[in-house]
């Protein structure tokens, strides 16, 4: 046997062995005890459509992110005026892109303009106007800054959702941006989709606000409380009757501390009441602020507010130093665990809304696998029978090449950790067709050479050479199509593109190298006078 044939057989055998190694964890229910070290242990991942799960399309309310940024700037300007004892009437956001400062005199307005321009150079400062003896200064967020803030809000939301899902423990999730303000989330194999959806969509804006105990919440209305206060609701459960009451509380609108200053959140159990609570730790800045605020408000109530709902409003008994606090409420251990997850992962910069929610049950996934395997099996059997009848022994060689194709492709998917989806199975079936098509092109060229009276060896060599460019052209054009699908497609379309791309490359190898080496080996081993084709 020549060296050329030997190394080609070794290469094919090596790929076959490697494929079997990577497919073993998928094919074997339990791996033997000696299977370890560098040997692969991961099974082929199944997509959402094959093992069931949840597909979500979420829309980020990016305008809220812009408004939140403007509110922060307004608070910053207000603090700056207070620190310097500057007299002003009001600082507030106006509309969708403006911050308005209402001052009492022109001199103050001129000096404030210079400070604001220096502090926020990227914002447009509108010249002051007089309204009823007051001076109005407006600061506008321009279109480019708004666009940039919206873009960053979607990127931050995507990262926060990814952190939450990672902590929730979902394997192989798909989390990607779709368009300007949409995020696609796929959670394959998830057991409790309702809990996951609640966890992902929670804004988790944590705020600590002082309670105004001079006003009774039950009698307060939005028109009877000061402008800088608001009415929130605390859900308080009665352990005896298991009923839940909504208790209105009047709190200051301005948050003293926010969840942005958190470093950790963990679930713990209260030893006295055997109830779960969430222990939180602040960073250096948060610890300092918490220390100052608790020292200045001993004896007062402090509301812990999450997404606009009061979780608890304890009385500050003493100064709390060390940067630790706890959130207690009438929640179960699972609810406390979810709260800890969203606090650790950070809050969403803007609310998200689920605009599409498709849940695929595991039984539907199993049904898809069965139907896909049945369709693939029928297709393979029909092709094998046709090739064996029409091309006889050459058809059997083509069938061996087709089996190698599928083996190498499945091995490659396992080695690369790719996810197999229903469209991926469709790509494998398509690959079988392409494999047969390549061999038909080669065999027809070989037949032409035989009809010209060439020997079997010359007919094979010339037939393979003549078919080479045609096969390359068709495979490269299909590969370009697969690349476009991968670049611009999402979810299952990407899975199809990955399987198709790998299949095309593998098919080039098997149709031009593997089947040829079988023919060459037979011609060298046996005295072949006429090709069975």
């Amino acid at each position: 046997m020549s060296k050329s044939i030997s190394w080609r057989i070794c290469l094919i055998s090596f790929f076959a062995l490697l494929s079997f190694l990577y497919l073993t964890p998928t094919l074997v229910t339990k791996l033997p005890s000696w299977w370890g070290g560098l040997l692969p242990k991961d099974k082929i991942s199944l997509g959402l459509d094959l093992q069931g799960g949840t597909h979500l399309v979420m829309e980020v309310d990016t305008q809220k992110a812009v408004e939140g940024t403007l509110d922060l700037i307004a608070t910053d300007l207000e603090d700056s005026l207070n620190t310097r004892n500057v007299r002003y009437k009001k600082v507030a956001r106006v509309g969708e892109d403006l911050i308005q400062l209402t001052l009492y005199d022109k001199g103050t307005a001129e000096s404030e303009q210079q400070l604001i321009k220096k502090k926020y150079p990227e914002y447009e400062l509108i010249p002051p106007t007089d309204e009823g003896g007051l001076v109005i200064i407006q600061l506008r967020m321009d279109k480019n800054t708004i666009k940039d803030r919206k873009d960053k809000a979607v990127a931050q939301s995507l990262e926060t959702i990814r952190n939450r899902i990672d902590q929730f423990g979902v394997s192989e999730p798909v989390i990607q941006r779709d368009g300007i303000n949409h995020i696609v989330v796929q959670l394959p194999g998830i057991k409790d989709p309702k809990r996951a959806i609640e966890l992902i969509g929670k804004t988790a804006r944590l705020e600590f606000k002082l309670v105004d105990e001079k006003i009774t919440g039950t009698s307060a209305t939005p028109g009877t409380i000061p402008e800088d206060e608001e009415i929130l609701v605390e859900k308080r459960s009665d352990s005896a009757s298991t009923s839940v009451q909504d208790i209105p509380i009047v709190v200051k609108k301005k948050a003293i501390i926010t969840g942005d200053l958190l470093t950790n959140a963990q679930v713990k159990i209260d030893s006295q009441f055997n109830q779960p609570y969430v222990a939180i730790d602040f960073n250096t800045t948060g610890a300092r602020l918490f220390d100052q605020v608790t020292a200045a408000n001993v004896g007062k109530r402090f509301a812990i507010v999450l997404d606009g709902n009061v979780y608890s409003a304890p009385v500050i008994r003493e100064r709390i130093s060390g940067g630790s606090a706890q959130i207690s409420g009438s929640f179960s251990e699972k609810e406390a665990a979810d709260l800890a997850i969203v606090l650790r992962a950070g809050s969403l910069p803007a609310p998200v809304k689920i605009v599409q929610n498709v849940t695929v049950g595991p039984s539907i996934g199993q049904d898809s696998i069965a139907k896909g395997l049945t369709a693939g099996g029928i297709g393979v059997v029909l092709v094998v029978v046709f090739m064996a009848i029409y091309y006889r022994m050459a058809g059997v060689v083509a069938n061996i090449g087709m089996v190698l194709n599928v083996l190498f492709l499945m091995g490659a998917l396992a080695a690369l950790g790719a996810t197999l989806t229903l469209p991926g199975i469709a790509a494998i079936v398509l690959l079988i067709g392409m494999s047969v098509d390549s061999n038909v092109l080669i065999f027809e060229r070989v037949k032409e050479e035989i009809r010209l009276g060439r020997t079997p060896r010359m007919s094979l060599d010339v037939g393979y050479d003549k078919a080479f460019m045609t096969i390359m052209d068709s495979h490269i054009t299909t590969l370009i199509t697969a690349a476009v699908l991968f670049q611009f497609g999402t979810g299952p379309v990407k899975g199809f593109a990955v399987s198709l791309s790998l299949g095309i490359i593998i098919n080039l190898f098997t149709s031009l190298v593997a089947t040829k080496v079988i023919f060459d080996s037979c011609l060298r081993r046996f005295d072949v006078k006429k090709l069975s084709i």
Side-chain angles (χ1 to χ4, degrees), residues 240-450:
S241 62
T242 67
S243 62
V244 178
Q245 281 184 307
D246 289 342
I247 310 293
I249 298 177
V250 179
V251 300
K252 297 285 183 186
K253 282 184 180 176
K254 188 177 179 180
I256 305 298
I257 302 175
T258 65
D260 301 335
L261 305 174
L262 284 182
T263 58
N264 195 15
Q266 289 182 320
V267 179
K268 294 188 177 177
I269 304 296
D270 187 302
S271 57
Q272 187 177 357
F273 301 103
N274 199 30
Q275 286 287 319
Y277 68 90
V278 179
I280 55 177
D281 295 318
F282 292 104
N283 61 18
T284 308
T285 307
R288 179 174 52 79
L289 286 174
F290 199 63
D291 178 70
Q292 291 174 356
V293 169
T294 52
N297 295 282
V298 172
K300 296 180 182 176
R301 292 179 72 195
F302 206 35
I304 301 171
V305 184
L306 184 73
D307 291 343
N309 296 310
V310 178
Y311 264 69
S312 57
V315 177
I316 303 171
R317 301 291 182 193
E318 58 185 353
R319 179 177 187 167
I320 303 172
S321 303
S324 297
Q326 67 180 54
I327 304 172
S328 53
S330 54
F331 37 58
S332 65
E333 197 165 338
K334 187 183 282 187
E335 289 170 336
D338 289 350
L339 176 60
I341 288 174
V342 296
L343 290 175
R344 280 199 302 270
S347 62
L348 291 169
V352 294
K353 182 174 67 177
I354 295 172
V355 293
Q356 187 182 5
N357 177 5
V358 180
T359 299
V360 182
S363 59
I364 297 175
Q366 287 297 326
D367 189 47
S368 299
I369 294 174
K371 285 182 179 176
L373 291 176
T374 303
I378 292 171
V380 168
V381 169
L382 288 176
V383 169
V384 165
V385 171
F386 171 79
M387 292 299 286
I389 293 174
Y390 194 78
Y391 289 107
R392 291 175 283 182
M393 284 308 295
V396 174
V397 174
N399 289 336
I400 294 172
M402 183 176 63
V403 172
L404 287 174
N405 254 340
V406 176
L407 174 65
F408 291 162
L409 176 58
M410 297 302 290
L413 287 174
L416 295 174
T419 302
L420 183 64
T421 61
L422 199 57
I425 293 178
I428 294 171
V429 175
L430 179 61
L431 170 68
I432 292 171
M434 291 180 67
S435 170
V436 174
D437 187 47
S438 302
N439 284 291
V440 168
L441 283 170
I442 294 168
F443 294 165
E444 290 304 317
R445 299 292 86 76
V446 173
K447 278 178 148 182
E448 288 174 3
E449 299 306 314
I450 291 173

Side-chain angles (χ1 to χ4, degrees), residues 65-78:
V66 174
E67 292 174 3
T69 303
L70 292 172
D71 284 339
L72 282 176
I73 294 172
T75 304
D76 180 50
L77 291 174
E78 194 175 7

Side-chain angles (χ1 to χ4, degrees), residues 99-379:
I99 299 166
Q100 181 168 296
L101 289 82
T102 307
L103 306 171
Y104 288 106
D105 58 84
K106 284 186 179 179
T108 305
E110 287 175 4
S111 60
E112 286 305 314
Q113 274 190 95
Q114 294 177 1
L115 289 173
I116 294 170
K117 196 171 183 179
K118 188 177 178 181
K119 197 168 188 180
Y120 298 102
E122 69 275 24
Y123 289 75
E124 180 190 355
L125 192 60
I126 299 171
T129 56
D130 290 338
E131 282 188 17
L134 298 170
V135 184
I136 307 295
I137 299 176
Q138 289 185 327
L139 192 65
R140 187 192 300 279
M141 185 184 276
D142 64 39
K143 289 182 180 178
N144 288 334
T145 308
I146 290 174
K147 185 181 174 185
D148 182 60
R149 182 68 195 96
K150 288 182 175 179
D151 187 62
K152 284 179 179 171
V154 179
Q156 288 172 1
S157 300
L158 191 144
E159 199 55 38
T160 303
I161 290 171
R162 189 189 304 282
N163 288 339
R164 289 182 183 182
I165 291 172
D166 286 347
Q167 298 201 27
F168 189 62
V170 179
S171 60
E172 303 288 340
V174 175
I175 308 155
Q176 56 194 16
R177 188 169 180 168
D178 182 24
I180 297 173
N181 60 347
H182 286 80
I183 294 173
V184 174
V185 177
Q186 289 187 349
L187 307 172
I190 192 164
K191 305 292 184 202
D192 190 351
K194 187 181 175 186
R195 184 183 167 207
I197 291 168
E198 288 175 354
L199 185 75
I200 294 168
K202 192 175 283 184
T203 309
R205 177 72 178 167
L206 180 67
E207 298 167 303
F208 290 76
K209 297 184 174 183
L210 284 174
V211 177
D212 186 347
E213 295 181 80
K214 296 175 185 170
I215 305 175
T216 308
T218 50
S219 62
T221 61
T224 60
I225 61 174
E227 282 187 7
D228 62 342
E229 295 183 350
E230 60 185 342
I231 303 170
L232 299 180
V233 174
E234 178 187 7
K235 290 188 181 297
R236 197 176 296 171
S237 63
D238 185 345
S239 57
S241 62
T242 67
S243 62
V244 178
Q245 281 184 307
D246 289 342
I247 310 293
I249 298 177
V250 179
V251 300
K252 297 285 183 186
K253 282 184 180 176
K254 188 177 179 180
I256 305 298
I257 302 175
T258 65
D260 301 335
L261 305 174
L262 284 182
T263 58
N264 195 15
Q266 289 182 320
V267 179
K268 294 188 177 177
I269 304 296
D270 187 302
S271 57
Q272 187 177 357
F273 301 103
N274 199 30
Q275 286 287 319
Y277 68 90
V278 179
I280 55 177
D281 295 318
F282 292 104
N283 61 18
T284 308
T285 307
R288 179 174 52 79
L289 286 174
F290 199 63
D291 178 70
Q292 291 174 356
V293 169
T294 52
N297 295 282
V298 172
K300 296 180 182 176
R301 292 179 72 195
F302 206 35
I304 301 171
V305 184
L306 184 73
D307 291 343
N309 296 310
V310 178
Y311 264 69
S312 57
V315 177
I316 303 171
R317 301 291 182 193
E318 58 185 353
R319 179 177 187 167
I320 303 172
S321 303
S324 297
Q326 67 180 54
I327 304 172
S328 53
S330 54
F331 37 58
S332 65
E333 197 165 338
K334 187 183 282 187
E335 289 170 336
D338 289 350
L339 176 60
I341 288 174
V342 296
L343 290 175
R344 280 199 302 270
S347 62
L348 291 169
V352 294
K353 182 174 67 177
I354 295 172
V355 293
Q356 187 182 5
N357 177 5
V358 180
T359 299
V360 182
S363 59
I364 297 175
Q366 287 297 326
D367 189 47
S368 299
I369 294 174
K371 285 182 179 176
L373 291 176
T374 303
I378 292 171

